[in-house]
Amino acid sequence: MSPYSVPDGTRIYAIGDIHGEAGLLDLLLDEIRADAEKHAVDRKLLIFLGDYVDRGPDSRGVIERLNKGPPEGFEQICLLGNHEEMLLGCLRGIPRLAMLWLMNGGDAACRSYGIDPSQSPEVIGEELRRLMPQEHKELLHTLRLCHREGGYFFTHAGIRPGVPVEQQRREDLIWIRKAFTESQADHGCVVVHGHSPVAEPEDLPNRINVDTGAAYGNALTAVALQSTGREFLQIPASRDLVTDLLGHPTDRGRFK
């Protein structure tokens, strides 16, 4: 059991990668509200771990939901994912990031904003700047890289092992994978992250992974943290098309 804990009187819900699954997000928020009513705490905090857009059918709906703010009685923190970083690159007219975004599910986000993804990255960037609501752009530009609460450190992808959390590079916080996920080091905190999809949430002494591949036909997951306790809340996928973690169709059924 990890020695790390959340500050007294606080219950935290950290939500993994949503990737355009607005319907699953609404159901998970309902589940979180119901769960919070069972716990008498002074402070309830929602932390979204990034990757709100791409792959799933309703990126626009997810951003719209985040813009409405948290449920009554909750605080809300929205972190930056690598997919938002790529989308921002397209908005800023950076060709390399725009191409990378379109090759990694950005086409679905385009369609949710009424944009034809078969156009050139330059035209798509122009269309995004024209058609994306200003409040959506403002949200994307104000996403945070990380957040610390007690013994827990929240970020999208993870951290570079051996580097103090206050000295982590932006690139690692939103892009790192194996160097972090394969490390068994004590980071001086428990890192709560998404980014690296798994069939079931990973609950380890040094990290918690709640990216369970919602956009690939698996559940959308949140971890609830209070004192030293950890609980997981999940909404099973509702779409008929099931894909594996690489996006390939599969006949294995939904992940167990």
Side-chain angles (χ1 to χ4, degrees):
M1 176 62 69
S2 168
Y4 300 109
S5 66
V6 169
D8 290 343
T10 296
R11 188 168 177 84
I12 299 173
Y13 298 90
I15 297 176
D17 301 35
I18 303 163
H19 278 307
E21 295 290 348
L24 293 184
L25 175 59
D26 284 340
L27 291 173
L28 183 56
L29 290 174
D30 287 342
E31 189 81 7
I32 287 171
R33 277 190 290 262
D35 180 81
E37 291 177 359
K38 303 173 187 176
H39 301 275
V41 291
D42 300 323
R43 180 169 173 250
K44 295 172 286 188
L45 175 60
L46 271 176
I47 300 178
F48 294 91
L49 295 171
D51 278 9
Y52 314 117
V53 300
D54 305 343
R55 297 198 174 113
D58 195 6
S59 294
R60 179 175 183 145
V62 173
I63 299 298
E64 191 71 34
R65 182 65 189 81
L66 298 180
N67 258 320
K68 290 180 179 178
E72 185 177 355
F74 285 77
E75 299 172 32
Q76 174 174 299
I77 293 173
C78 298
L79 302 183
L80 176 73
N82 62 306
H83 282 258
E84 287 76 52
E85 180 85 335
M86 292 186 286
L87 171 53
L88 284 167
C90 189
L91 279 169
R92 291 167 177 151
I94 303 173
R96 179 183 63 84
L97 284 177
M99 282 298 299
L100 189 63
W101 178 58
L102 292 168
M103 293 168 57
N104 285 277
D107 56 329
C110 285
R111 285 189 286 270
S112 77
Y113 282 98
I115 297 169
D116 179 0
S118 68
Q119 302 173 96
S120 71
E122 292 77 14
V123 172
I124 288 172
E126 292 172 2
E127 291 283 275
L128 273 175
R129 289 187 288 274
R130 182 174 66 87
L131 294 174
M132 181 179 282
Q134 181 61 30
E135 59 269 25
H136 289 206
K137 289 182 272 192
E138 290 173 359
L139 175 76
L140 290 168
H141 281 98
T142 57
L143 296 174
R144 298 167 55 172
L145 283 172
C146 57
H147 181 72
R148 180 82 183 253
E149 286 278 341
Y152 288 87
F153 183 80
F154 302 84
T155 194
H156 175 63
I159 65 172
R160 178 70 56 180
V163 178
V165 291
E166 62 273 11
Q167 297 176 21
Q168 292 290 322
R169 298 188 310 157
R170 176 191 182 95
E171 181 178 357
D172 285 331
L173 292 173
I174 62 176
W175 289 98
I176 198 169
R177 287 196 195 273
K178 286 189 176 182
F180 166 66
T181 59
E182 295 181 354
S183 173
Q184 298 181 20
D186 184 338
H187 305 303
C189 58
V190 176
V191 181
V192 183
H193 68 99
H195 184 59
S196 297
V198 288
E200 295 289 346
E202 294 179 301
D203 184 1
L204 303 170
N206 64 348
R207 65 181 182 89
I208 300 171
N209 182 3
V210 285
D211 179 5
T212 48
Y216 300 122
N218 204 11
L220 180 63
T221 299
V223 61
L225 305 168
Q226 186 175 339
S227 184
T228 58
R230 307 175 184 178
E231 302 172 50
F232 292 93
L233 305 175
Q234 289 190 315
I235 300 298
S238 58
R239 290 193 294 155
D240 292 333
L241 176 63
V242 178
T243 57
D244 67 17
L245 293 179
L246 295 176
H248 304 136
T250 176
D251 59 4
R252 291 179 297 146
R254 291 186 172 86
F255 298 116
K256 303 299 183 181

